[in-house]
Amino acid sequence: MPELPEVETVRRAIAPVLEGARLESVEIRDPRLTRPFDPSIVAHELVGERVAEVGRRGKYLIVRFDSGRALLIHLRMTGSLRNAPNGTPADDPHTRAVLTLDNGSDVTYRDVRRFGTWELLEESDVRPYIDARLGPEPLGPLSAAKLGQRLAGRRAPLKSALLDQRTLAGLGNIYVDEALWYAQLHPLRPAGGLDGEELARLHRSIRRVLRTGIERQGSTLRDYALPDGAYGSMQDEFRAYGRGGEPCDRCGTPLERIVVGGRTTTFCPHCQLL
Ligand code: ZN
């Protein structure tokens, strides 16, 4: 599932294609994308809009238009945006939407599992929508002390608290496992129980793995790809995620797999202390 670095990579690739372009035609093939709204009505509303900016908050892409309205795209499990400069390939059964731009490009939305969402919001609704769902950006002006405030008093496992998008925006299973490995913190530690030094390590580790993820253009597992079809390489950097049974890169102890809050979690039982 795309997390902050994957979504940011998509944003950086697709922004130059979309920004300044006017939507000449919009085809939404899958009603699940715009549920509960009728896809043909949403498509009709989008036609004629000119893209002012493509932003991101957490795992949401925010396509802002000159009108002030915004299309919030969440890729969920397997959504991806593709730039099709030579027209849309007709034979891809997983294409769920096609944007035809006045600059001659097409942007297609592809989604195998169909959990992705498109929500068209009025200008005044964007901020409340985001604020109700997302905590601060981990790569924004976030201090270790502020992170401590987000976790204070919480008895949930650290892993679960970090997966909660209201704690910090944009982390998912991959980058939480990676950050906890670097921070040498056990995923089942009570979230509110970290001391100042541990918070500083966690803060540093979260930012480190997200920055590396962006530099590597995300991790390609299953369906994630860049808009031009290229793949990210963050999967080559994994220290914990998906490596259960392999030796820890720090101490050689085999990494263990447990389930936390329904999510498979990999950690080192020797150097990530409970
Ligand atoms: Zn270890």
Side-chain angles (χ1 to χ4, degrees):
M1 167 162 163
E3 303 180 23
L4 189 156
E6 288 75 31
V7 178
E8 177 61 19
T9 300
V10 170
R11 188 196 70 76
R12 290 180 182 187
I14 211 75
V17 180
L18 281 172
E19 286 176 359
R22 187 177 156 277
L23 306 186
E24 277 196 338
S25 73
V26 177
E27 185 192 346
I28 300 175
R29 298 177 183 170
D30 184 358
R32 283 177 59 159
L33 204 52
T34 57
R35 220 166 36 181
F37 301 104
D38 185 321
S40 62
I41 292 174
V42 175
H44 182 76
E45 289 285 318
L46 285 169
V47 170
E49 289 280 12
R50 188 174 294 280
V51 178
E53 183 197 29
V54 182
R56 180 192 57 75
R57 270 289 272 129
K59 302 177 197 172
Y60 286 92
L61 286 168
I62 304 179
V63 182
R64 290 187 188 278
F65 300 106
D66 284 350
S67 67
R69 294 201 292 185
L71 179 66
L72 271 58
I73 299 178
H74 200 303
L75 305 172
R76 300 287 169 194
M77 299 282 289
T78 55
S80 64
L81 288 168
R82 303 287 168 92
N83 178 23
N86 303 315
T88 306
D91 56 350
D92 187 339
H94 302 301
T95 298
R96 309 297 177 194
V98 180
L99 304 175
T100 306
L101 310 178
D102 69 349
N103 61 17
S105 248
D106 281 1
V107 170
T108 65
Y109 176 78
R110 185 176 188 278
D111 197 343
V112 175
R113 301 283 301 275
R114 301 168 64 210
F115 290 115
T117 56
W118 282 24
E119 291 172 272
L120 181 60
L121 298 182
E122 297 300 325
E123 187 169 19
S124 60
D125 294 335
V126 176
R127 186 76 191 267
Y129 183 97
I130 293 291
D131 287 349
R133 288 164 178 80
L134 302 180
E137 283 292 310
L139 293 178
L142 175 85
S143 63
K146 172 84 179 193
L147 174 60
Q149 287 168 21
R150 310 293 300 175
L151 297 172
R154 296 173 68 168
R155 266 171 272 172
L158 193 49
K159 166 101 188 216
S160 305
L162 292 172
L163 287 175
D164 179 352
Q165 299 299 293
R166 291 164 298 184
T167 308
L168 290 179
L171 293 172
N173 214 27
I174 295 173
Y175 292 91
V176 171
D177 277 9
E178 292 298 296
L180 292 177
W181 184 87
Y182 279 106
Q184 300 186 49
L185 293 168
H186 195 289
L188 292 176
R189 284 283 300 273
L194 306 188
D195 66 26
E197 208 270 317
E198 291 170 329
L199 278 171
R201 283 205 317 259
L202 180 60
H203 175 258
R204 202 163 52 235
S205 300
I206 288 170
R207 289 159 71 101
R208 170 186 183 155
V209 298
L210 293 175
R211 287 205 180 101
T212 306
I214 292 170
E215 279 167 21
R216 301 301 162 118
Q217 301 197 295
S219 39
T220 294
L221 309 160
R222 298 187 293 271
D223 291 285
Y224 167 78
L226 273 65
D228 63 359
Y231 298 118
S233 64
M234 182 61 185
Q235 64 278 6
D236 302 335
E237 304 288 325
F238 289 163
R239 295 291 189 268
Y241 178 82
R243 293 189 55 188
E246 293 181 34
C248 172
D249 284 348
R250 197 164 33 220
C251 74
T253 305
L255 300 175
E256 279 184 13
R257 247 191 313 255
I258 55 173
V259 175
V260 182
R263 308 297 302 276
T264 298
T265 298
T266 311
F267 69 103
C268 174
H270 177 72
C271 54
Q272 289 175 252
L273 295 178
L274 191 59

